[in-house]
Amino acid sequence: MAQRKTDRKNRQGEQTRARILEETMRLAARHGYEGTRISMVRNATGLSASSIYWHFSDKEQLIAAALEHAIGAHLQAIPTWPEFASGEDRSADLYEQIFQWPREDFWRFGLQMAVIRPPEESPARDRFLEIRRESIEWLARWWKPGLPEHMEQRAAGALLLGTLTFAVRDSFFLRRHAGRQFDENRIVWMLALSLDAMADRLGELAVGHPIAIERVRAPAAERSGALTGRLAFLQAAEDIIAEFGYDGVTVARVCERAALPASSLYWFFKDKDELVAEVVAGASQKWAAVRPLLTGTTAGENGDWTEPLRIQLRDLLAGSSAGTGILRLGLLLLLGDGKRASNGVRSMETVMENMQTMTAQWFSTVLPATESEEQRTELAEYLAECLFRFLEGLLLSRQVDAYAWHPELLADLLAVGLHRAADQFLAGSAPPAGN
């Protein structure tokens, strides 16, 4: 009898702990690390603070445990991939698995933590980065058998393909651009066809000579000299957002970082919200400078638009490090919970929407004639959407991993992959049945 009571008490304790962890992750995914409070968990669970502290000593331990709990549930839910890339059915395998990837809030929260650069160690952040790194390495092992055995940099090539595949996954968690509706099945199929073509392209490039494939540490963003007054507060707020996220901005932190009194801050800004709003507005304006914008050059005489696309993407990818700080601010906004949409997020989405529209217009000028203008316009819009998903995922990866792949190679793979995927769509390729 005593044993049964003990077992029942243990089960109740486990259920209580699981409820705390699940509510904590739900709150953290919405409010971020800095914005999540023990009091919020207490209200969400209906438990006393002492009950929560019985299981967890502090917020850091609680959030780390919540993330670990979510990861465990995720690992049980994800589909089983084929053991290796089959080659013939690689596109279909990619489509089936990418389409089935769970899109839980914990991954969005993990990406938010990964993008920032906290001044102190964070067990939760470190654990997420470990899981993400292991996932990319697993994908690299999946890709490797499909690359030519004679390829000198086969392992590095497989890791690059794993990174590109994971960029697609990460892009799912960035807020999509307002006003655009796509058939997700067709988008994922085009992404799968593009990735498959990129693997073939890597093998082609490796024939006869090594290629510039090794990744390098991304250069740090250049910083201006000492700032004063209004600019000092804006820079301080940017730095704090980069370390703690938007919810981590406080008047005390900003003033300490700017080495100026609070009275000076209130001389320039009505309150903290106005300061953050100005930082966001500035980020939205600067974001356009580091976003893809295809203009001018048209396709060659044979209708091949791979080369003009490659040249423009190369220049974009080579110059994106100059906007590292702005990219981080923008990505943090786009990783935010859609239910908490702010003017800053809407402003950022408007910038991206305009640029994607211009990119689609460029594709429509280089695509070959189709049965109807409507079909050509639609394909151009899908190509622009796929390109943005790849680029946004890669920019996010650059912020998280602090590594960059050779821009010339990335541009070549993206251009060739999208061109060959478009050719297959024009030839009638469609997503496999069953999804």
Side-chain angles (χ1 to χ4, degrees):
M1 178 68 71
Q3 182 62 43
R4 284 200 297 270
K5 287 183 178 179
T6 300
D7 292 342
R8 185 167 62 251
K9 187 174 182 180
N10 288 339
R11 284 196 301 273
Q12 290 173 343
E14 291 172 0
Q15 292 170 356
T16 298
R17 187 177 190 276
R19 183 152 58 100
I20 293 171
L21 294 175
E22 289 164 4
E23 287 298 332
T24 297
M25 185 47 57
R26 183 182 65 81
L27 291 166
R30 181 173 185 183
H31 299 283
Y33 177 85
E34 289 289 328
T36 302
R37 306 279 185 268
I38 293 291
S39 59
M40 297 164 67
V41 179
R42 186 187 67 225
N43 292 334
T45 59
L47 298 170
S48 64
S50 59
S51 297
I52 296 172
Y53 283 116
W54 173 261
H55 293 278
F56 309 99
S57 60
D58 54 30
K59 186 177 84 169
E60 177 64 48
Q61 186 186 71
L62 170 59
I63 288 184
L67 185 61
E68 189 70 39
H69 180 78
I71 289 171
H74 164 76
L75 293 176
Q76 292 179 1
I78 58 175
T80 302
W81 280 59
E83 291 187 4
F84 55 87
S86 60
E88 182 179 349
D89 297 325
R90 198 165 54 192
S91 296
D93 290 342
L94 281 166
Y95 174 81
E96 295 287 344
Q97 301 307 321
I98 293 174
F99 192 84
Q100 295 298 326
W101 268 337
R103 306 183 188 184
E104 302 97 329
D105 282 341
F106 90 86
W107 199 267
R108 185 192 309 277
F109 171 64
L111 288 172
Q112 291 171 350
M113 288 196 304
V115 168
I116 64 176
R117 294 288 185 268
E120 300 177 358
E121 290 187 6
S122 169
R125 181 178 186 273
D126 292 344
R127 179 60 177 140
F128 174 79
L129 290 175
E130 181 184 10
I131 289 292
R132 187 175 180 280
R133 183 171 58 253
E134 290 174 353
S135 299
I136 293 175
E137 290 172 351
W138 190 95
L139 280 171
R141 292 194 295 273
W142 184 83
W143 277 108
K144 187 176 179 180
L147 294 175
E149 293 185 6
H150 68 270
M151 186 174 174
E152 184 175 332
Q153 296 147 300
R154 197 178 183 205
L159 184 60
L160 172 54
L161 290 170
T163 301
L164 284 162
T165 309
F166 223 75
V168 171
R169 183 218 166 92
D170 285 347
S171 73
F172 290 155
F173 296 91
L174 294 165
R175 285 172 55 79
R176 302 316 307 153
H177 315 150
R180 288 187 171 271
Q181 297 294 326
F182 292 97
D183 181 339
E184 191 67 11
N185 290 36
R186 292 186 68 196
I187 287 291
V188 173
W189 181 235
M190 183 172 282
L191 291 168
L193 291 174
S194 300
L195 286 166
D196 189 28
M198 290 178 201
D200 290 339
R201 179 60 174 168
L202 264 180
E204 295 166 8
L205 291 172
V207 174
H209 59 85
I211 51 180
I213 199 171
E214 298 295 340
R215 60 183 184 175
V216 297
R217 185 167 292 278
E222 295 182 4
R223 294 296 304 273
S224 304
L227 301 174
T228 60
R230 184 185 190 86
L231 294 178
F233 287 119
L234 290 170
Q235 185 62 61
E238 278 193 25
D239 292 344
I240 290 167
I241 291 168
E243 294 178 8
F244 301 100
Y246 285 93
D247 288 313
V249 178
T250 65
V251 170
R253 277 179 174 167
V254 171
C255 291
E256 180 181 3
R257 186 66 58 90
L260 291 169
S263 58
S264 295
L265 184 148
Y266 290 117
W267 175 263
F268 296 108
F269 306 97
K270 181 178 67 175
D271 51 26
K272 182 198 75 172
D273 291 341
E274 185 176 88
L275 168 63
V276 172
E278 186 156 337
V279 172
V280 169
S284 297
Q285 294 170 5
K286 296 174 186 176
W287 181 269
V290 291
R291 304 306 301 139
L293 179 59
L294 306 182
T295 58
T297 310
T298 58
E301 294 182 1
N302 61 352
D304 187 351
W305 43 267
T306 302
E307 184 61 13
L309 178 59
R310 184 190 66 78
I311 292 172
Q312 296 191 66
L313 289 179
R314 178 199 62 197
D315 295 341
L316 167 75
L317 293 164
S320 62
S321 61
T324 296
I326 296 304
L327 289 174
R328 185 172 293 122
L329 299 185
L331 289 169
L332 283 170
L333 277 175
L334 297 174
L335 283 168
D337 188 340
K339 297 175 183 176
R340 303 173 68 212
S342 64
N343 290 333
V345 173
R346 284 189 287 271
S347 175
M348 189 74 70
E349 286 183 326
T350 299
V351 170
M352 297 175 72
E353 175 72 10
N354 291 339
M355 301 199 75
Q356 186 162 335
T357 297
M358 295 181 71
T359 301
Q361 290 172 351
W362 182 87
F363 275 119
S364 69
T365 65
V366 299
L367 286 171
T370 56
E371 294 181 0
S372 68
E373 188 63 27
E374 181 180 356
Q375 181 187 23
R376 184 177 183 178
T377 299
E378 182 182 54
L379 178 56
E381 290 178 346
Y382 274 79
L383 284 168
E385 174 70 8
C386 288
L387 175 59
F388 268 64
R389 291 202 187 189
F390 275 120
L391 289 174
E392 289 165 7
L394 285 170
L395 290 172
L396 183 55
S397 176
R398 184 183 188 126
Q399 296 299 307
V400 171
D401 302 328
Y403 281 97
W405 296 89
H406 198 289
E408 183 82 38
L409 177 61
L410 278 180
D412 187 283
L413 295 179
L414 288 169
V416 172
L418 288 170
H419 191 285
R420 293 181 182 178
D423 285 346
Q424 291 185 68
F425 259 69
L426 289 171
S429 179
N435 280 290

